[in-house]
Amino acid sequence: GQQYNYNDAKEVESSTLIILTNMNERKLLLGKKLRGFGTGKYNGFGGRLEREETPAHCAKRELMEEANLSIDLDEFVIGSVGTLNFTFQDREHIEMLVHLFHINVQFRNATHDNTCKGAVSIIDPGAIRACDEMIPEWFDWWEIPLHQMFADDSIWLTYYLSSLDARREKRSHASLPKMNGWFHF
């Protein structure tokens, strides 16, 4: 058999990414990056895990830091929908593992629509605030600025939202769709 070469072992950088939707209105909350990796691009909220932090705890912390939204930790546990794995030609020793979460919100005082199973967090849309890293902005599902996002988003994000839309139209009570993607750049 072939022997494993330990020099080929990859360092894994773990982070989180949150798909934050208002499914009743078919809206997606994205943030425009002001600094750091992806400056000028739109992205979901999230970031690197801190030492001894679980992905759900990291996602909760990052959403509060980047959009001023406090969502119960249980929503992140329920809303864990998969992973995205990234490898890079110019960084062969690094693999990025992104833990993906879906949080569905409704605006306070909005009419509640239960066409999709799953938890819904009630938020005050006026509570959403920018930070020094991101400016939050709502987009209609079919008007997402993919030309101002990372290339992989046009594949996995559109697939995920289409899966949500199909469940909504069928009034499906199935669990949230799962997403496990592998990308090499």
Side-chain angles (χ1 to χ4, degrees):
Q2 187 176 5
Q3 286 193 345
Y4 182 76
N5 182 348
Y6 288 96
N7 292 329
D8 291 340
K10 295 192 181 299
E11 176 186 336
V12 177
E13 294 179 356
S14 293
S15 61
T16 59
L17 185 62
I18 303 155
I19 304 167
L20 197 136
T21 61
N22 179 324
M23 289 172 53
N24 285 347
E25 297 184 21
R26 290 187 171 138
K27 299 262 186 200
L28 174 69
L29 186 66
L30 297 173
K32 187 169 188 176
K33 293 280 290 179
L34 299 175
R35 63 178 173 82
F37 182 68
T39 298
K41 293 186 179 292
Y42 284 97
N43 202 16
F45 302 91
R48 290 192 178 147
L49 271 72
E50 293 181 353
R51 188 175 171 92
E52 306 296 321
E53 189 175 42
T54 68
H57 281 94
C58 176
K60 177 178 174 52
R61 175 183 53 78
E62 289 284 346
L63 188 58
M64 178 54 122
E65 289 175 4
E66 295 178 346
N68 196 45
L69 286 176
S70 180
I71 305 291
D72 290 338
L73 183 62
D74 289 347
E75 300 292 325
F76 290 98
V77 173
I78 294 166
S80 176
V81 294
T83 57
L84 301 174
N85 300 271
F86 298 92
T87 54
F88 304 91
Q89 189 71 31
D90 61 341
R91 294 175 33 191
E92 292 180 9
H93 66 287
I94 299 287
E95 178 181 335
M96 286 178 56
L97 173 63
V98 180
H99 299 270
L100 195 57
F101 295 88
H102 176 214
I103 302 294
N104 185 40
V105 300
Q106 287 184 338
F107 300 138
R108 188 165 282 130
N109 300 325
T111 303
H112 298 282
D113 176 2
N114 294 322
T115 56
C116 295
K117 183 178 181 182
V120 175
S121 295
I122 308 299
I123 65 164
D124 175 3
I128 299 170
R129 298 273 188 271
C131 68
D132 64 341
E133 187 177 350
M134 300 193 65
I135 299 173
E137 187 176 341
W138 287 101
F139 291 93
D140 291 331
W141 283 19
W142 309 115
E143 295 178 3
I144 297 169
L146 293 170
H147 62 286
Q148 293 177 277
M149 297 176 73
F150 292 107
D152 57 277
D153 295 337
S154 67
I155 299 168
W156 72 264
L157 181 59
T158 55
Y159 173 81
Y160 188 84
L161 292 176
S162 294
S163 297
L164 287 175
D165 214 31
R167 281 176 164 74
R168 177 188 167 102
E169 288 176 13
K170 292 179 185 175
R171 296 193 177 274
S172 172
H173 293 287
S175 62
L176 291 170
K178 301 297 182 191
M179 173 63 60
N180 291 299
W182 294 86
F183 300 94
H184 180 73
F185 291 96

